[in-house]
PDB file of all heavy atoms in Angstrom:
ATOM      1  N   ALA A 322      -4.250  -5.253   9.550  1.00  0.00           N
ATOM      2  CA  ALA A 322      -3.828  -6.408   8.820  1.00  0.00           C
ATOM      3  C   ALA A 322      -3.984  -6.215   7.346  1.00  0.00           C
ATOM      4  O   ALA A 322      -3.086  -6.585   6.586  1.00  0.00           O
ATOM      5  CB  ALA A 322      -4.551  -7.744   9.266  1.00  0.00           C
ATOM      6  N   THR A 323      -5.184  -5.592   6.913  1.00  0.00           N
ATOM      7  CA  THR A 323      -5.252  -5.371   5.546  1.00  0.00           C
ATOM      8  C   THR A 323      -4.332  -4.426   4.918  1.00  0.00           C
ATOM      9  O   THR A 323      -3.773  -4.526   3.902  1.00  0.00           O
ATOM     10  CB  THR A 323      -6.766  -4.922   5.306  1.00  0.00           C
ATOM     11  OG1 THR A 323      -7.728  -5.811   5.700  1.00  0.00           O
ATOM     12  CG2 THR A 323      -7.023  -4.424   3.811  1.00  0.00           C
ATOM     13  N   VAL A 324      -4.061  -3.357   5.849  1.00  0.00           N
ATOM     14  CA  VAL A 324      -3.138  -2.257   5.359  1.00  0.00           C
ATOM     15  C   VAL A 324      -1.710  -2.882   5.302  1.00  0.00           C
ATOM     16  O   VAL A 324      -0.891  -2.635   4.307  1.00  0.00           O
ATOM     17  CB  VAL A 324      -3.243  -1.040   6.190  1.00  0.00           C
ATOM     18  CG1 VAL A 324      -2.061  -0.082   5.971  1.00  0.00           C
ATOM     19  CG2 VAL A 324      -4.489  -0.325   5.913  1.00  0.00           C
ATOM     20  N   VAL A 325      -1.332  -3.617   6.301  1.00  0.00           N
ATOM     21  CA  VAL A 325       0.036  -4.231   6.303  1.00  0.00           C
ATOM     22  C   VAL A 325       0.164  -5.161   5.149  1.00  0.00           C
ATOM     23  O   VAL A 325       1.232  -5.114   4.433  1.00  0.00           O
ATOM     24  CB  VAL A 325       0.295  -5.000   7.632  1.00  0.00           C
ATOM     25  CG1 VAL A 325       1.531  -5.758   7.557  1.00  0.00           C
ATOM     26  CG2 VAL A 325       0.361  -3.940   8.855  1.00  0.00           C
ATOM     27  N   ASP A 326      -0.785  -5.856   4.785  1.00  0.00           N
ATOM     28  CA  ASP A 326      -0.809  -6.822   3.618  1.00  0.00           C
ATOM     29  C   ASP A 326      -0.598  -6.049   2.352  1.00  0.00           C
ATOM     30  O   ASP A 326       0.244  -6.418   1.479  1.00  0.00           O
ATOM     31  CB  ASP A 326      -2.036  -7.775   3.580  1.00  0.00           C
ATOM     32  CG  ASP A 326      -1.968  -8.690   2.518  1.00  0.00           C
ATOM     33  OD1 ASP A 326      -0.876  -9.537   2.399  1.00  0.00           O
ATOM     34  OD2 ASP A 326      -2.899  -8.734   1.653  1.00  0.00           O
ATOM     35  N   ALA A 327      -1.321  -4.901   2.265  1.00  0.00           N
ATOM     36  CA  ALA A 327      -1.346  -4.049   1.026  1.00  0.00           C
ATOM     37  C   ALA A 327       0.060  -3.520   0.956  1.00  0.00           C
ATOM     38  O   ALA A 327       0.658  -3.269  -0.099  1.00  0.00           O
ATOM     39  CB  ALA A 327      -2.432  -3.021   1.050  1.00  0.00           C
ATOM     40  N   LEU A 328       0.566  -2.989   2.018  1.00  0.00           N
ATOM     41  CA  LEU A 328       1.965  -2.475   2.043  1.00  0.00           C
ATOM     42  C   LEU A 328       2.964  -3.433   1.609  1.00  0.00           C
ATOM     43  O   LEU A 328       3.939  -3.151   0.846  1.00  0.00           O
ATOM     44  CB  LEU A 328       2.355  -1.734   3.344  1.00  0.00           C
ATOM     45  CG  LEU A 328       1.573  -0.547   3.703  1.00  0.00           C
ATOM     46  CD1 LEU A 328       1.799  -0.191   5.143  1.00  0.00           C
ATOM     47  CD2 LEU A 328       2.092   0.580   2.820  1.00  0.00           C
ATOM     48  N   ARG A 329       2.951  -4.650   2.106  1.00  0.00           N
ATOM     49  CA  ARG A 329       3.826  -5.707   1.812  1.00  0.00           C
ATOM     50  C   ARG A 329       3.731  -6.120   0.356  1.00  0.00           C
ATOM     51  O   ARG A 329       4.788  -6.226  -0.294  1.00  0.00           O
ATOM     52  CB  ARG A 329       3.622  -6.985   2.596  1.00  0.00           C
ATOM     53  CG  ARG A 329       4.009  -6.877   3.993  1.00  0.00           C
ATOM     54  CD  ARG A 329       3.912  -8.208   4.733  1.00  0.00           C
ATOM     55  NE  ARG A 329       4.522  -8.043   6.011  1.00  0.00           N
ATOM     56  CZ  ARG A 329       3.909  -8.516   7.097  1.00  0.00           C
ATOM     57  NH1 ARG A 329       2.751  -9.152   7.120  1.00  0.00           N
ATOM     58  NH2 ARG A 329       4.492  -8.293   8.358  1.00  0.00           N
ATOM     59  N   ARG A 330       2.511  -6.049  -0.176  1.00  0.00           N
ATOM     60  CA  ARG A 330       2.444  -6.365  -1.662  1.00  0.00           C
ATOM     61  C   ARG A 330       3.024  -5.166  -2.493  1.00  0.00           C
ATOM     62  O   ARG A 330       3.731  -5.436  -3.503  1.00  0.00           O
ATOM     63  CB  ARG A 330       0.893  -6.478  -2.059  1.00  0.00           C
ATOM     64  CG  ARG A 330       0.415  -7.832  -1.653  1.00  0.00           C
ATOM     65  CD  ARG A 330      -1.014  -8.104  -2.264  1.00  0.00           C
ATOM     66  NE  ARG A 330      -1.929  -7.011  -2.261  1.00  0.00           N
ATOM     67  CZ  ARG A 330      -2.720  -6.707  -1.286  1.00  0.00           C
ATOM     68  NH1 ARG A 330      -2.857  -7.610  -0.285  1.00  0.00           N
ATOM     69  NH2 ARG A 330      -3.560  -5.748  -1.359  1.00  0.00           N
ATOM     70  N   LEU A 331       2.910  -3.905  -2.053  1.00  0.00           N
ATOM     71  CA  LEU A 331       3.481  -2.768  -2.793  1.00  0.00           C
ATOM     72  C   LEU A 331       4.904  -2.803  -2.714  1.00  0.00           C
ATOM     73  O   LEU A 331       5.635  -2.750  -3.793  1.00  0.00           O
ATOM     74  CB  LEU A 331       2.963  -1.490  -2.106  1.00  0.00           C
ATOM     75  CG  LEU A 331       3.703  -0.178  -2.659  1.00  0.00           C
ATOM     76  CD1 LEU A 331       3.155   0.078  -4.003  1.00  0.00           C
ATOM     77  CD2 LEU A 331       3.413   0.983  -1.665  1.00  0.00           C
ATOM     78  N   PHE A 332       5.514  -3.164  -1.566  1.00  0.00           N
ATOM     79  CA  PHE A 332       7.006  -3.177  -1.469  1.00  0.00           C
ATOM     80  C   PHE A 332       7.623  -4.407  -2.212  1.00  0.00           C
ATOM     81  O   PHE A 332       8.799  -4.252  -2.598  1.00  0.00           O
ATOM     82  CB  PHE A 332       7.434  -3.095  -0.047  1.00  0.00           C
ATOM     83  CG  PHE A 332       6.995  -1.811   0.639  1.00  0.00           C
ATOM     84  CD1 PHE A 332       6.610  -1.890   1.993  1.00  0.00           C
ATOM     85  CD2 PHE A 332       6.995  -0.618   0.043  1.00  0.00           C
ATOM     86  CE1 PHE A 332       6.171  -0.680   2.728  1.00  0.00           C
ATOM     87  CE2 PHE A 332       6.648   0.531   0.755  1.00  0.00           C
ATOM     88  CZ  PHE A 332       6.264   0.432   2.041  1.00  0.00           C
ATOM     89  N   ALA A 333       6.823  -5.428  -2.505  1.00  0.00           N
ATOM     90  CA  ALA A 333       7.287  -6.551  -3.129  1.00  0.00           C
ATOM     91  C   ALA A 333       7.265  -6.363  -4.720  1.00  0.00           C
ATOM     92  O   ALA A 333       7.850  -7.020  -5.379  1.00  0.00           O
ATOM     93  CB  ALA A 333       6.455  -7.774  -2.824  1.00  0.00           C
ATOM     94  N   LEU A 334       6.589  -5.319  -5.164  1.00  0.00           N
ATOM     95  CA  LEU A 334       6.552  -5.088  -6.583  1.00  0.00           C
ATOM     96  C   LEU A 334       7.887  -4.345  -6.961  1.00  0.00           C
ATOM     97  O   LEU A 334       8.500  -3.583  -6.163  1.00  0.00           O
ATOM     98  CB  LEU A 334       5.385  -4.074  -6.799  1.00  0.00           C
ATOM     99  CG  LEU A 334       3.952  -4.711  -6.768  1.00  0.00           C
ATOM    100  CD1 LEU A 334       3.003  -3.603  -6.936  1.00  0.00           C
ATOM    101  CD2 LEU A 334       3.757  -5.740  -7.860  1.00  0.00           C
ATOM    102  N   ASP A 335       8.086  -4.472  -8.234  1.00  0.00           N
ATOM    103  CA  ASP A 335       9.225  -3.661  -8.875  1.00  0.00           C
ATOM    104  C   ASP A 335       8.776  -2.241  -8.827  1.00  0.00           C
ATOM    105  O   ASP A 335       7.545  -1.914  -9.009  1.00  0.00           O
ATOM    106  CB  ASP A 335       9.345  -4.096 -10.333  1.00  0.00           C
ATOM    107  CG  ASP A 335      10.417  -3.384 -11.023  1.00  0.00           C
ATOM    108  OD1 ASP A 335      10.122  -2.312 -11.542  1.00  0.00           O
ATOM    109  OD2 ASP A 335      11.532  -3.992 -11.081  1.00  0.00           O
ATOM    110  N   PRO A 336       9.685  -1.371  -8.551  1.00  0.00           N
ATOM    111  CA  PRO A 336       9.355   0.081  -8.467  1.00  0.00           C
ATOM    112  C   PRO A 336       8.554   0.591  -9.760  1.00  0.00           C
ATOM    113  O   PRO A 336       7.778   1.446  -9.567  1.00  0.00           O
ATOM    114  CB  PRO A 336      10.692   0.780  -8.349  1.00  0.00           C
ATOM    115  CG  PRO A 336      11.646  -0.183  -7.723  1.00  0.00           C
ATOM    116  CD  PRO A 336      11.151  -1.532  -8.313  1.00  0.00           C
ATOM    117  N   ALA A 337       8.861   0.081 -10.817  1.00  0.00           N
ATOM    118  CA  ALA A 337       8.140   0.554 -12.101  1.00  0.00           C
ATOM    119  C   ALA A 337       6.755   0.065 -12.061  1.00  0.00           C
ATOM    120  O   ALA A 337       5.813   0.674 -12.854  1.00  0.00           O
ATOM    121  CB  ALA A 337       8.839   0.068 -13.325  1.00  0.00           C
ATOM    122  N   GLU A 338       6.316  -0.864 -11.256  1.00  0.00           N
ATOM    123  CA  GLU A 338       5.021  -1.481 -11.191  1.00  0.00           C
ATOM    124  C   GLU A 338       4.238  -0.863 -10.024  1.00  0.00           C
ATOM    125  O   GLU A 338       2.962  -1.119  -9.993  1.00  0.00           O
ATOM    126  CB  GLU A 338       5.072  -3.040 -11.102  1.00  0.00           C
ATOM    127  CG  GLU A 338       5.729  -3.703 -12.294  1.00  0.00           C
ATOM    128  CD  GLU A 338       5.033  -3.317 -13.570  1.00  0.00           C
ATOM    129  OE1 GLU A 338       3.797  -3.324 -13.666  1.00  0.00           O
ATOM    130  OE2 GLU A 338       5.804  -3.090 -14.534  1.00  0.00           O
ATOM    131  N   GLN A 339       4.834  -0.104  -9.170  1.00  0.00           N
ATOM    132  CA  GLN A 339       4.224   0.452  -8.011  1.00  0.00           C
ATOM    133  C   GLN A 339       3.278   1.709  -8.497  1.00  0.00           C
ATOM    134  O   GLN A 339       3.747   2.624  -8.994  1.00  0.00           O
ATOM    135  CB  GLN A 339       5.089   1.030  -6.953  1.00  0.00           C
ATOM    136  CG  GLN A 339       5.891  -0.215  -6.382  1.00  0.00           C
ATOM    137  CD  GLN A 339       7.012   0.191  -5.461  1.00  0.00           C
ATOM    138  OE1 GLN A 339       7.341   1.429  -5.410  1.00  0.00           O
ATOM    139  NE2 GLN A 339       7.643  -0.705  -4.804  1.00  0.00           N
ATOM    140  N   ARG A 340       1.971   1.460  -8.418  1.00  0.00           N
ATOM    141  CA  ARG A 340       1.070   2.476  -8.916  1.00  0.00           C
ATOM    142  C   ARG A 340       0.382   3.269  -7.784  1.00  0.00           C
ATOM    143  O   ARG A 340      -0.671   4.042  -7.984  1.00  0.00           O
ATOM    144  CB  ARG A 340      -0.096   1.774  -9.775  1.00  0.00           C
ATOM    145  CG  ARG A 340       0.398   0.995 -10.965  1.00  0.00           C
ATOM    146  CD  ARG A 340       0.890   1.993 -12.034  1.00  0.00           C
ATOM    147  NE  ARG A 340       1.313   1.219 -13.114  1.00  0.00           N
ATOM    148  CZ  ARG A 340       2.630   1.284 -13.583  1.00  0.00           C
ATOM    149  NH1 ARG A 340       3.543   2.048 -13.134  1.00  0.00           N
ATOM    150  NH2 ARG A 340       2.948   0.525 -14.611  1.00  0.00           N
ATOM    151  N   THR A 341       0.726   3.047  -6.590  1.00  0.00           N
ATOM    152  CA  THR A 341       0.272   3.793  -5.435  1.00  0.00           C
ATOM    153  C   THR A 341       1.373   4.132  -4.514  1.00  0.00           C
ATOM    154  O   THR A 341       2.499   3.780  -4.791  1.00  0.00           O
ATOM    155  CB  THR A 341      -0.841   3.002  -4.709  1.00  0.00           C
ATOM    156  OG1 THR A 341      -1.432   3.827  -3.883  1.00  0.00           O
ATOM    157  CG2 THR A 341      -0.382   1.753  -4.065  1.00  0.00           C
ATOM    158  N   THR A 342       1.086   4.904  -3.471  1.00  0.00           N
ATOM    159  CA  THR A 342       2.167   5.168  -2.490  1.00  0.00           C
ATOM    160  C   THR A 342       1.733   4.519  -1.123  1.00  0.00           C
ATOM    161  O   THR A 342       0.626   4.171  -0.935  1.00  0.00           O
ATOM    162  CB  THR A 342       2.220   6.711  -2.224  1.00  0.00           C
ATOM    163  OG1 THR A 342       1.019   7.202  -1.581  1.00  0.00           O
ATOM    164  CG2 THR A 342       2.420   7.460  -3.606  1.00  0.00           C
ATOM    165  N   PRO A 343       2.753   4.382  -0.268  1.00  0.00           N
ATOM    166  CA  PRO A 343       2.396   3.868   1.141  1.00  0.00           C
ATOM    167  C   PRO A 343       1.328   4.792   1.704  1.00  0.00           C
ATOM    168  O   PRO A 343       0.512   4.238   2.459  1.00  0.00           O
ATOM    169  CB  PRO A 343       3.738   3.815   1.863  1.00  0.00           C
ATOM    170  CG  PRO A 343       4.818   3.819   0.703  1.00  0.00           C
ATOM    171  CD  PRO A 343       4.195   4.639  -0.420  1.00  0.00           C
ATOM    172  N   LEU A 344       1.440   6.040   1.580  1.00  0.00           N
ATOM    173  CA  LEU A 344       0.404   6.992   2.328  1.00  0.00           C
ATOM    174  C   LEU A 344      -0.907   6.668   1.766  1.00  0.00           C
ATOM    175  O   LEU A 344      -1.934   6.640   2.570  1.00  0.00           O
ATOM    176  CB  LEU A 344       0.802   8.402   2.138  1.00  0.00           C
ATOM    177  CG  LEU A 344      -0.140   9.345   2.837  1.00  0.00           C
ATOM    178  CD1 LEU A 344      -0.192   9.166   4.333  1.00  0.00           C
ATOM    179  CD2 LEU A 344       0.450  10.774   2.603  1.00  0.00           C
ATOM    180  N   GLN A 345      -1.155   6.473   0.479  1.00  0.00           N
ATOM    181  CA  GLN A 345      -2.307   6.201  -0.076  1.00  0.00           C
ATOM    182  C   GLN A 345      -2.964   4.898   0.528  1.00  0.00           C
ATOM    183  O   GLN A 345      -4.195   4.833   0.858  1.00  0.00           O
ATOM    184  CB  GLN A 345      -2.305   6.068  -1.561  1.00  0.00           C
ATOM    185  CG  GLN A 345      -2.205   7.459  -2.238  1.00  0.00           C
ATOM    186  CD  GLN A 345      -1.895   7.212  -3.800  1.00  0.00           C
ATOM    187  OE1 GLN A 345      -0.997   6.518  -4.142  1.00  0.00           O
ATOM    188  NE2 GLN A 345      -2.780   7.987  -4.614  1.00  0.00           N
ATOM    189  N   ILE A 346      -2.113   3.982   0.758  1.00  0.00           N
ATOM    190  CA  ILE A 346      -2.545   2.741   1.277  1.00  0.00           C
ATOM    191  C   ILE A 346      -2.995   2.904   2.781  1.00  0.00           C
ATOM    192  O   ILE A 346      -4.061   2.449   3.262  1.00  0.00           O
ATOM    193  CB  ILE A 346      -1.482   1.571   1.148  1.00  0.00           C
ATOM    194  CG1 ILE A 346      -1.340   1.193  -0.308  1.00  0.00           C
ATOM    195  CG2 ILE A 346      -1.768   0.285   2.035  1.00  0.00           C
ATOM    196  CD1 ILE A 346      -0.112   0.279  -0.634  1.00  0.00           C
ATOM    197  N   VAL A 347      -2.143   3.484   3.492  1.00  0.00           N
ATOM    198  CA  VAL A 347      -2.416   3.749   4.975  1.00  0.00           C
ATOM    199  C   VAL A 347      -3.727   4.560   5.100  1.00  0.00           C
ATOM    200  O   VAL A 347      -4.432   4.339   6.110  1.00  0.00           O
ATOM    201  CB  VAL A 347      -1.233   4.582   5.620  1.00  0.00           C
ATOM    202  CG1 VAL A 347      -1.608   5.107   6.918  1.00  0.00           C
ATOM    203  CG2 VAL A 347       0.023   3.556   5.667  1.00  0.00           C
ATOM    204  N   ARG A 348      -4.019   5.497   4.100  1.00  0.00           N
ATOM    205  CA  ARG A 348      -5.265   6.165   4.266  1.00  0.00           C
ATOM    206  C   ARG A 348      -6.508   5.360   4.236  1.00  0.00           C
ATOM    207  O   ARG A 348      -7.528   5.739   4.712  1.00  0.00           O
ATOM    208  CB  ARG A 348      -5.295   7.279   3.161  1.00  0.00           C
ATOM    209  CG  ARG A 348      -4.331   8.430   3.343  1.00  0.00           C
ATOM    210  CD  ARG A 348      -4.343   9.440   2.323  1.00  0.00           C
ATOM    211  NE  ARG A 348      -3.556  10.603   2.682  1.00  0.00           N
ATOM    212  CZ  ARG A 348      -3.124  11.468   1.868  1.00  0.00           C
ATOM    213  NH1 ARG A 348      -3.154  11.323   0.599  1.00  0.00           N
ATOM    214  NH2 ARG A 348      -2.351  12.555   2.308  1.00  0.00           N
ATOM    215  N   GLY A 349      -6.315   4.210   3.725  1.00  0.00           N
ATOM    216  CA  GLY A 349      -7.468   3.121   3.769  1.00  0.00           C
ATOM    217  C   GLY A 349      -7.900   2.791   5.157  1.00  0.00           C
ATOM    218  O   GLY A 349      -8.950   2.211   5.418  1.00  0.00           O
ATOM    219  N   LEU A 350      -7.021   3.037   6.089  1.00  0.00           N
ATOM    220  CA  LEU A 350      -7.406   2.754   7.538  1.00  0.00           C
ATOM    221  C   LEU A 350      -8.632   3.478   8.083  1.00  0.00           C
ATOM    222  O   LEU A 350      -9.348   2.974   8.957  1.00  0.00           O
ATOM    223  CB  LEU A 350      -6.306   3.094   8.524  1.00  0.00           C
ATOM    224  CG  LEU A 350      -5.110   2.074   8.525  1.00  0.00           C
ATOM    225  CD1 LEU A 350      -3.945   2.718   9.248  1.00  0.00           C
ATOM    226  CD2 LEU A 350      -5.516   0.735   9.074  1.00  0.00           C
ATOM    227  N   VAL A 351      -8.966   4.563   7.425  1.00  0.00           N
ATOM    228  CA  VAL A 351     -10.019   5.356   7.946  1.00  0.00           C
ATOM    229  C   VAL A 351     -11.427   4.755   7.593  1.00  0.00           C
ATOM    230  O   VAL A 351     -12.374   5.106   8.310  1.00  0.00           O
ATOM    231  CB  VAL A 351     -10.087   6.883   7.367  1.00  0.00           C
ATOM    232  CG1 VAL A 351      -8.726   7.534   7.738  1.00  0.00           C
ATOM    233  CG2 VAL A 351     -10.368   6.887   5.917  1.00  0.00           C
ATOM    234  N   ALA A 352     -11.479   3.717   6.689  1.00  0.00           N
ATOM    235  CA  ALA A 352     -12.752   3.086   6.404  1.00  0.00           C
ATOM    236  C   ALA A 352     -13.336   2.392   7.808  1.00  0.00           C
ATOM    237  O   ALA A 352     -14.482   2.566   7.984  1.00  0.00           O
ATOM    238  CB  ALA A 352     -12.563   2.084   5.438  1.00  0.00           C
ATOM    239  N   ALA A 353     -12.538   1.820   8.582  1.00  0.00           N
ATOM    240  CA  ALA A 353     -13.015   1.107   9.768  1.00  0.00           C
ATOM    241  C   ALA A 353     -13.602   2.095  10.771  1.00  0.00           C
ATOM    242  O   ALA A 353     -14.861   1.905  11.224  1.00  0.00           O
ATOM    243  CB  ALA A 353     -11.940   0.252  10.348  1.00  0.00           C
ATOM    244  N   PRO A 354     -12.908   3.120  11.219  1.00  0.00           N
ATOM    245  CA  PRO A 354     -13.592   4.000  12.138  1.00  0.00           C
ATOM    246  C   PRO A 354     -14.711   4.802  11.592  1.00  0.00           C
ATOM    247  O   PRO A 354     -15.597   5.178  12.383  1.00  0.00           O
ATOM    248  CB  PRO A 354     -12.499   4.950  12.648  1.00  0.00           C
ATOM    249  CG  PRO A 354     -11.380   4.827  11.562  1.00  0.00           C
ATOM    250  CD  PRO A 354     -11.517   3.492  10.958  1.00  0.00           C
TER     251      PRO A 354
END
């Protein structure tokens, strides 16, 4: 849920304001395991 929310926020931004990539966000999933 946290990653999906972060991806939605990223995709809602103007491209010039996107300071990360979807892969960087998805990589945050490893914190839980």
Side-chain angles (χ1 to χ4, degrees):
T323 298
V324 167
V325 168
D326 183 54
L328 287 169
R329 285 187 176 134
R330 286 193 315 270
L331 174 70
F332 297 143
L334 289 173
D335 182 273
E338 300 301 318
Q339 295 174 351
R340 302 288 182 240
T341 190
T342 70
L344 181 57
Q345 287 172 306
I346 291 171
V347 167
R348 285 177 172 160
L350 283 171
V351 303

